[in-house]
Amino acid sequence: MRQDLAKMVYDDIGFEDITTCALIPPGLMVNGQIMAKEGGVIAGVELAVVIFKEFGVETDVMVVDGEKIKNGQIIMEISGDPRSILSVERTVLNLLMRMSGIATLTRNIIEMVRSVNPNVLVAGTRKTTPGLQFFEKSAIRAGGGDTHRYRLDDSVLIKDNHLALVGGVDEAISRARKYVSFTKKIEIEVESLEEALHAVRVGADIVMLDNMDPDKVKDVIVALKKENLRDNALIEVSGGINSDNIIQYANTGVDVISTGYITHSARSLDLSLDLEKMHQ
């Protein structure tokens, strides 16, 4: 983790920060602070501390990941060599702003869902930025959401292309059961009521209703209850879910709502870093 964060910084610096090296003399020491320029939910604070520490910058943290913050609130105070601080500033702020934007959107979505269904989980999908999936998933968690799969080795998720190549639900689940450890859950993506019922009957742990409208999702829940199958598997809904329609899905009776919206459509939270010379 520390190496990944350091690489982000060095990829940005290149051989040297020529602006800072040209303007700032060695030996100067400064104080500074990172401040919120709008309200939201903060995320990435621990990672920012790791970066600053790696470059010899001292930090005093005022908030923790997942905490609601207000416009003008100080996130952390820093002190050290301005050459180091200025060289890592953009990477730190980009990470904090990106993660805080995801955490804020996640929290807002969850509050919408909880207003009609306090029991449903809101989860992210793997529609994340390559190389940043750990950070973006961590931001979802800071916002109160479920991370779903971080990587492909977390659990089995049988999708339409798998089924097209394998030949059907029965064979796919059978192969998965034989291959994976008992600790790994098996989830399958379905597109119709009939497929959903069949997937539960043959032992899927989680059934994902993909791109179904809310009325069709309700039909699945009703059918499962009629056959006394509702408690046999978790029912997840996914596909095209956003702030405009998530309330409708929360009212269907599903266990999990997963959405890429909270990562791919999140706006970065506005934060700033200001420095001042230390008094000698």
Side-chain angles (χ1 to χ4, degrees):
M1 174 59 63
R2 193 184 73 181
Q3 292 176 336
D4 290 340
L5 293 169
K7 184 178 184 303
M8 286 183 183
V9 176
Y10 285 120
D11 283 347
D12 188 46
I13 293 174
F15 290 110
E16 64 175 349
D17 176 358
I18 59 174
T19 307
T20 297
C21 290
L23 300 181
I24 309 300
L28 189 66
M29 297 296 286
V30 298
N31 291 318
Q33 57 186 23
I34 295 177
M35 180 181 294
K37 298 180 75 174
E38 62 178 318
V41 176
I42 194 70
V45 173
E46 295 178 3
L47 299 174
V49 170
V50 171
I51 294 175
F52 279 132
K53 184 177 181 180
E54 181 73 12
F55 288 84
V57 179
E58 295 185 4
T59 57
D60 185 10
V61 174
M62 307 300 181
V63 297
V64 297
D65 285 353
E67 185 173 331
K68 280 193 172 183
I69 57 172
K70 300 177 181 178
N71 184 14
Q73 187 169 347
I74 297 174
I75 308 305
M76 68 174 67
E77 294 182 342
I78 60 176
S79 60
D81 182 346
R83 287 188 164 199
S84 295
I85 295 172
L86 291 169
S87 294
V88 305
E89 172 189 8
R90 191 69 264 157
T91 301
V92 168
L93 285 178
N94 283 349
L95 196 58
L96 278 171
M97 291 167 66
R98 171 67 178 151
M99 290 181 67
S100 297
I102 291 171
T104 300
L105 181 56
T106 301
R107 182 70 55 82
N108 291 341
I109 288 291
I110 288 174
E111 289 176 354
M112 292 173 63
V113 168
R114 293 284 187 269
S115 69
V116 298
N117 186 344
N119 298 316
V120 68
L121 291 176
V122 174
T125 69
R126 289 181 58 250
K127 290 181 179 177
T128 52
T129 308
L132 296 179
Q133 55 264 47
F134 172 79
F135 307 109
E136 294 180 347
K137 290 280 192 175
S138 297
I140 291 172
R141 174 175 285 160
D146 188 281
T147 57
H148 212 292
R149 296 188 301 169
Y150 274 92
R151 307 187 309 184
L152 292 173
D153 59 0
D154 282 342
S155 65
V156 174
L157 177 45
I158 302 166
K159 300 175 75 68
D160 56 351
N161 282 326
H162 296 115
L163 293 174
L165 297 175
V166 170
V169 171
D170 299 66
E171 182 64 18
I173 291 181
S174 175
R175 291 188 189 185
R177 286 283 180 215
K178 291 175 183 177
Y179 187 83
V180 301
S181 165
F182 72 94
T183 62
K184 301 292 187 182
K185 289 187 176 182
I186 296 177
E187 178 170 7
I188 188 163
E189 177 185 281
V190 301
E191 298 179 347
S192 70
L193 186 152
E194 292 75 19
E195 288 180 345
L197 290 174
H198 186 65
V200 175
R201 291 190 192 111
V202 297
D205 299 305
I206 309 165
V207 175
M208 178 193 290
L209 310 180
D210 185 46
N211 285 305
M212 288 191 190
D213 65 45
D215 288 336
K216 289 182 180 179
V217 172
K218 288 179 181 179
D219 289 342
V220 171
I221 299 299
V222 170
L224 288 171
K225 289 179 178 178
K226 283 183 177 179
E227 295 198 22
N228 293 318
L229 295 173
R230 179 62 186 90
D231 296 330
N232 289 23
L234 291 174
I235 305 301
E236 175 182 345
V237 64
S238 189
I241 299 173
N242 53 47
S243 59
D244 293 330
N245 60 19
I246 197 165
I247 290 293
Q248 298 174 54
Y249 284 100
N251 275 317
T252 60
V254 296
D255 302 298
V256 182
I257 300 172
S258 59
T259 173
Y261 174 75
I262 54 179
T263 48
H264 65 61
S265 295
R267 179 183 60 81
S268 294
L269 199 70
D270 196 4
L271 307 172
S272 67
L273 188 156
D274 297 310
L275 299 177
E276 62 178 16
K277 289 183 182 180
M278 283 188 180
H279 298 295
Q280 302 296 326

